[in-house]
């Protein structure tokens, strides 16, 4: 039930965000979110004198700074694309630990203190490796709620909500021109799941779109588009041999 509560909460947050998705993002930190200006984000997040310098934003994010603005979250999320260690196809951190944790998320009843701590320990390792790992952020909230650490759960829920809003504000997903922009293919599934939508099929549509078919529901499109142009561009800049293949 805890996981379901997170999905319902995230769905409500995203519903409010969709109405603002057509707003254009400005250069001011107070500007409303909209489709990201990736050129501006690349420049700012790689400039050590910028207020949006990626290491500065990441430090604030990791120390639970609750004063971060929506624009700062936007620069943090999309700034991930332009970091030296960016790899949208990276394998999960410590996959054997992740596999061992899987049964805990479907366990009947409350987790034991040791089980909660295992989730917290792994999720922090995963977030330190990949700060915008939506799934592990959600898992961390789940563990904190199970533990009764309400304030910490709220802090991490706030982080997750902001990242989801950033993606939601990038488009509507209903067509190519309004495709949602993500920094990881896994985020396509996590975003829809946290929005309460179940993905059923995937196909790549050249030149740089993923189309995710979803389980049918009333007043819901048959599927959604995600724009992975910059994701692919940055990946192949680091792996040119794969592009040649």
């Amino acid at each position: 039930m805890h996981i379901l509560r997170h999905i319902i909460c995230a769905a409500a947050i995203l519903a409010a965000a969709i109405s603002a998705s057509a707003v254009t993002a400005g250069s001011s930190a107070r500007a409303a979110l909209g489709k990201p200006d990736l050129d501006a984000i690349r420049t700012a997040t790689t400039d050590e004198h910028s207020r949006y310098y990626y290491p500065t934003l990441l430090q604030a994010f990791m120390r639970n700074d609750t004063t971060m603005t929506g624009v700062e979250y936007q620069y943090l999320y999309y700034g991930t694309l332009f970091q030296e260690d960016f790899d949208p196809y990276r394998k999960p951190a410590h996959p054997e630990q992740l596999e061992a944790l899987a049964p805990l998320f479907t366990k009947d009843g409350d987790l034991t203190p040791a089980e909660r701590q295992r989730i917290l320990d792994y999720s922090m390792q995963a977030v330190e490796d990949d700060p915008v790992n939506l799934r592990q952020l959600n898992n961390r909230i789940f563990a904190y709620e199970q533990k009764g650490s309400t304030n910490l759960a709220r802090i991490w829920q706030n982080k997750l909500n902001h990242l989801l809003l950033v993606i939601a504000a990038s488009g509507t997903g209903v067509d190519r021109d309004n495709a949602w922009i993500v920094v990881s293919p896994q985020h396509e599934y996590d975003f829809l799941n946290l929005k309460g939508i179940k993905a059923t099929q995937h196909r790549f549509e050249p030149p740089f779109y993923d189309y995710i078919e979803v389980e049918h529901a009333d007043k819901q499109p048959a599927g959604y588009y995600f724009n992975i142009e910059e994701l692919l561009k940055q990946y192949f800049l680091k792996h040119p041999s794969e592009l040649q293949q």
Side-chain angles (χ1 to χ4, degrees):
M1 293 300 294
H2 291 273
I3 288 288
L4 180 59
R5 250 201 331 271
H6 292 324
I7 292 173
I8 292 171
C9 175
I13 294 289
L14 286 168
I18 295 300
S19 64
S21 63
V23 179
T24 302
S27 58
S28 169
R30 296 182 180 180
L33 291 179
K35 187 174 182 179
D37 182 340
L38 294 178
D39 287 336
I41 291 174
R42 178 177 59 249
T43 299
T45 55
T46 56
D47 177 4
E48 63 181 7
H49 301 296
S50 168
R51 65 175 297 181
Y52 299 122
Y53 184 45
Y54 186 84
T56 301
L57 295 175
L58 181 58
Q59 185 180 48
F61 179 81
M62 295 303 291
R63 71 167 181 260
N64 297 342
D65 186 343
T66 57
T67 68
M68 287 182 68
T69 67
V71 173
E72 287 173 327
Y73 271 97
Q74 185 185 58
Y75 275 67
L76 173 70
Y77 182 74
Y78 292 113
T80 303
L81 291 164
F82 310 111
Q83 304 311 301
E84 289 186 6
D85 63 347
F86 172 71
D87 184 354
Y89 302 106
R90 73 173 70 192
K91 295 180 180 179
H94 307 287
E96 70 288 346
Q97 293 182 32
L98 180 60
E99 183 177 356
L101 290 175
L104 300 183
F105 296 104
T106 56
K107 178 183 176 181
D108 291 333
D110 290 340
L111 302 177
T112 68
E115 289 170 335
R116 293 194 297 264
Q117 193 58 49
R118 285 171 60 197
I119 294 175
L120 287 171
D121 289 344
Y122 177 81
S123 64
M124 182 51 73
Q125 291 180 61
V127 170
E128 287 175 347
D129 178 64
D130 176 15
V132 294
N133 187 323
L134 304 179
R135 186 169 301 183
Q136 291 306 321
L137 288 171
N138 193 56
N139 288 348
R140 193 162 185 81
I141 299 161
F142 168 76
Y144 276 134
E145 286 199 344
Q146 281 265 322
K147 192 176 180 179
S149 300
T150 305
N151 289 338
L152 285 171
R154 287 175 178 171
I155 288 172
W156 286 83
Q157 184 72 64
N158 180 66
K159 297 183 186 189
L160 178 60
N161 288 348
H162 272 93
L163 292 173
L164 295 172
L165 282 168
V166 164
I167 299 172
S170 69
T172 62
V174 298
D175 54 38
R176 289 184 170 200
D177 290 339
N178 295 286
W180 285 311
I181 302 172
V182 292
V183 304
S184 167
Q186 184 62 55
H187 291 183
E188 299 169 0
Y189 297 91
D190 293 340
F191 177 77
L192 290 175
N193 182 53
L194 289 166
K195 197 172 181 293
I197 299 172
K198 182 179 179 181
T200 58
Q201 297 283 343
H202 162 271
R203 69 172 181 264
F204 175 72
E205 293 190 1
F208 43 71
Y209 296 97
D210 279 341
Y211 181 75
I212 308 295
E213 294 182 19
V214 300
E215 197 170 77
H216 180 71
D218 291 342
K219 298 182 180 179
Q220 182 172 290
Y224 295 94
Y225 287 91
F226 291 86
N227 182 325
I228 58 171
E229 178 181 13
E230 193 66 38
L231 179 162
L232 293 175
K233 178 181 176 181
Q234 295 302 320
Y235 178 77
F236 286 123
L237 280 174
K238 297 177 176 67
H239 304 87
S241 61
E242 295 190 26
L243 183 59
Q244 293 172 359
Q245 294 175 3

